[in-house]
Amino acid sequence: MIKSILTSALLFSITLISPKVCAQRAANFSGTWTLDTAKCEPGPGGYIMDPDQILRVTQNSASIIFARTYPSSKFTSTDKFFFDGKVRIQKKDYGTDKISLQWSTDKKVLTITTITTADTKAGPDDFLLADSWKLSDDGRTLINESYSQNKQTGKRTFLMVYNKK
């Protein structure tokens, strides 16, 4: 009887503790980042729009915001994504974007996938962009690996590397 009670108490304790122990926190990319052009690989025919760009990332449990400032053109672009598991559909002038987010199993890599369906001269076409974001082990470098695929340009990859400011 006592053994049964102790076993039940132990199992109950493990049930309470295990989600806290096993649940990994997602990487937090928040901060101000500067582009490290020496480590970037814009891909064949690619170029870096503004080597002085500044990336500000704001992340909480509900969302992540990427705000890029391009000093030479005084232009800022802001993209906000949500961690609610829903595919977002956005109507644009050029077509429709379907955007989804996925964490890697270890929650160190965030992949933002955008499938754009646009009207082209050949009719509707899909454009895939998969942006994977991860931190270096020391948290001082933010790495953005991108993969794109479409009928016009085929498959492409590029790498953007940012250092914490």
Side-chain angles (χ1 to χ4, degrees):
M1 174 77 163
I2 292 176
K3 187 177 179 182
S4 175
I5 293 171
L6 289 175
T7 303
S8 296
L10 178 63
L11 289 173
F12 181 72
S13 297
I14 290 171
T15 304
L16 290 176
I17 293 170
S18 63
K20 293 177 185 173
V21 172
C22 295
Q24 287 186 305
R25 286 189 172 190
N28 191 326
F29 306 125
S30 293
T32 301
W33 306 87
T34 57
L35 194 61
D36 187 339
T37 56
K39 294 180 181 175
C40 293
E41 298 172 11
Y47 67 96
I48 296 172
M49 189 168 113
D50 188 338
D52 295 325
Q53 70 177 270
I54 297 167
L55 174 65
R56 286 183 181 80
V57 180
T58 307
Q59 180 179 340
N60 59 41
S61 61
S63 65
I64 187 165
I65 300 169
F66 295 92
R68 288 179 179 82
T69 301
Y70 303 93
S72 65
S73 63
K74 295 181 173 64
F75 175 74
T76 299
S77 70
T78 303
D79 295 303
K80 184 173 184 176
F81 304 98
F82 298 92
F83 296 123
D84 59 8
K86 296 179 183 176
V87 174
R88 298 272 189 251
I89 298 174
Q90 298 176 344
K91 300 280 186 186
K92 305 277 183 156
D93 291 342
Y94 52 80
T96 302
D97 288 345
K98 292 180 185 174
I99 303 165
S100 62
L101 278 66
Q102 179 70 46
W103 283 106
S104 61
T105 305
D106 62 4
K107 296 195 176 197
K108 291 183 179 182
V109 179
L110 174 65
T111 301
I112 302 168
T113 303
T114 305
I115 299 173
T116 300
T117 303
D119 289 325
T120 66
K121 291 178 184 176
D125 200 1
D126 288 337
F127 298 81
L128 168 70
L129 176 63
D131 274 318
S132 294
W133 295 88
K134 65 182 173 183
L135 284 173
S136 61
D137 290 338
D138 66 2
R140 304 291 306 154
T141 305
L142 180 61
I143 302 156
N144 172 216
E145 296 178 80
S146 292
Y147 171 82
S148 67
Q149 181 178 346
N150 62 68
K151 290 178 186 173
Q152 281 72 31
T153 60
K155 298 176 184 179
R156 293 184 143 177
T157 60
F158 61 91
L159 175 73
M160 301 297 271
V161 178
Y162 298 87
N163 296 320
K164 193 136 198 176
K165 191 170 180 182

